[in-house]
Amino acid sequence: MATRNLLLGGGENLAGRATIVRSGGPKKMPYTLAEVRAELLAPVQVIAAALRGIPASAKPREKEYLK
């Protein structure tokens, strides 16, 4: 059987003022700086090694550039 929702007459007299806490606390960052460095170190080292393998004559002004 379906439940009944009872209508409460004068319910506004029973209700009080509610206090709403809007603070969620400090923001938690998804990664620490150490974690990011650990993840990026290997790919950057691979790129640096590849750039070192390019002869200076193939580099503009004998420098490496990344875009």
Side-chain angles (χ1 to χ4, degrees), residues 27-42:
K27 182 176 180 179
K28 182 176 180 340
M29 300 305 285
Y31 305 103
T32 64
L33 186 58
E35 291 171 331
V36 172
R37 282 185 178 155
E39 286 293 319
L40 293 178
L41 183 61

Side-chain angles (χ1 to χ4, degrees), residues 6-7 65:
L6 299 176
L7 183 61
Y65 292 95

Side-chain angles (χ1 to χ4, degrees), residues 11-25:
E12 68 274 3
N13 295 328
L14 300 175
R17 190 169 274 288
T19 57
I20 300 173
V21 179
R22 299 205 183 259
S23 174

Side-chain angles (χ1 to χ4, degrees), residues 44-58:
V44 168
Q45 287 176 338
V46 169
I47 293 168
L51 289 173
R52 283 191 295 270
I54 298 173
S57 60

